[in-house]
Amino acid sequence: MGHHPARSARGSWQYSRVTRADLDKQPHEVAEMFDGVAERYDLTNTVLSFGQDRGWRRATRAALGLRPGERVLDVGAGTGVSTEELGLSGAFAVGADLSTGMLRAGRKVRRDVPLVAGDALKLPFADEAFDAVTISFALRNVVDTGAALRELARVTRRGGRLVVCEFSSPTNPAFRRVYMSYLMRSLPAVARGVSSNPDAYVYLAESIRAWPDQAALAARIAEAGPWSRVGWRNLTGGIVALHRATKS
């Protein structure tokens, strides 16, 4: 879905707002879609995950092994709820996101959390500026996964850490079938009750179903380079997986 122009009564062009992106993930569509869900995004995620999102954020912070005084970049930070969690470690945490609507919503409630506009494919930071980088539930929304992983490596010092927190594939076959049914049927229905833009959650469900499983994503990270020692850990039965790597 792109911008679809429609003539107004006076003959000038008007543009419809993007309510959901397509799986080709054009950056302007993804950004505009998230602009549309920003105001109630955190609440919707908590409802849809049955409160599991809080534990996933804590697990991401723990996997990064942050120490006081270190610098960590949180890409795809949205409203900064994940960045705020990272800051509990004592590290200096900076959030970056493509959606200005998400950033505005975050700045209203998290005035002390540094949030900057930034594209995962062209981050506004110097080489090796951070001790660690993380991206939560956003890598699958980037049009070029390999390029994003290389850009994350660029801003990370040698020996620095990467943690990707992303939806994955449940390890139990029976549970996986139930989960996929929930994604495609129940999740959009629940979103209609709590989200400011339920159509966006149809895209999100489709993007989760199309995303590679744990081993395939680990291979992508290793192939992108210069990431080494790539491993993963399942959360919530594999609904989410943490992938961790070190910049060589």
Side-chain angles (χ1 to χ4, degrees):
M1 177 181 289
H3 287 101
H4 299 293
R7 289 264 183 200
S8 71
R10 296 183 180 178
S12 60
W13 289 105
Q14 294 184 356
Y15 292 89
S16 60
R17 185 168 62 89
V18 173
T19 58
R20 56 171 289 210
D22 283 333
L23 291 182
D24 63 358
K25 306 181 188 94
Q26 293 305 310
H28 71 278
E29 292 186 351
V30 172
E32 196 167 338
M33 182 190 72
F34 279 105
D35 287 347
V37 299
E39 289 301 324
R40 304 184 75 183
Y41 185 73
D42 294 334
L43 170 64
T44 305
N45 285 348
T46 298
V47 170
L48 294 176
S49 70
F50 301 101
Q52 294 293 307
D53 58 321
R54 299 184 184 99
W56 298 337
R57 287 192 291 272
R58 289 194 296 269
T60 300
R61 172 165 59 88
L64 282 162
L66 297 167
R67 295 180 290 274
E70 287 193 313
R71 294 161 298 173
V72 58
L73 175 63
D74 182 21
V75 178
T79 65
V81 64
S82 52
T83 317
E84 186 174 50
E85 175 69 38
L86 297 176
L88 297 177
S89 65
F92 177 67
V94 179
D97 200 276
L98 189 64
S99 166
T100 55
M102 294 285 272
L103 295 171
R104 276 195 302 272
R107 287 170 184 148
K108 289 179 185 176
V109 294
R110 297 183 183 91
R111 299 178 187 276
D112 297 330
V113 176
L115 296 173
V116 301
D119 185 339
L121 297 175
K122 192 176 181 181
L123 294 167
F125 302 104
D127 295 355
E128 302 188 356
F130 295 93
D131 300 290
V133 293
T134 185
I135 181 166
S136 294
F137 307 112
L139 188 59
R140 73 182 192 286
N141 297 323
V142 179
V143 68
D144 188 334
T145 304
L149 289 164
R150 288 188 291 274
E151 180 67 351
L152 291 171
R154 180 187 67 77
V155 300
T156 307
R157 66 167 173 81
R158 290 190 65 180
R161 293 94 67 199
L162 164 72
V163 169
V164 177
C165 179
E166 189 54 89
F167 289 111
S168 198
S169 181
T171 54
N172 179 282
F175 178 51
R176 185 162 58 243
R177 286 192 294 272
V178 172
Y179 172 66
M180 290 301 172
S181 176
Y182 167 73
L183 273 183
M184 301 314 297
R185 298 178 187 175
S186 303
L187 186 147
V190 174
R192 279 194 291 273
V194 291
S195 173
S196 53
N197 180 10
D199 284 348
Y201 286 85
V202 176
Y203 158 79
L204 292 172
E206 291 170 349
S207 69
I208 293 168
R209 187 172 64 170
W211 188 243
D213 65 13
Q214 291 87 328
L217 180 57
R220 284 196 189 187
I221 295 171
E223 289 164 3
W227 299 111
S228 61
R229 296 169 59 194
V230 182
W232 73 84
R233 173 188 167 209
N234 288 316
L235 303 176
T236 320
I239 287 178
V240 167
L242 296 179
H243 282 71
R244 185 165 58 184
T246 303
K247 183 177 175 181
S248 53

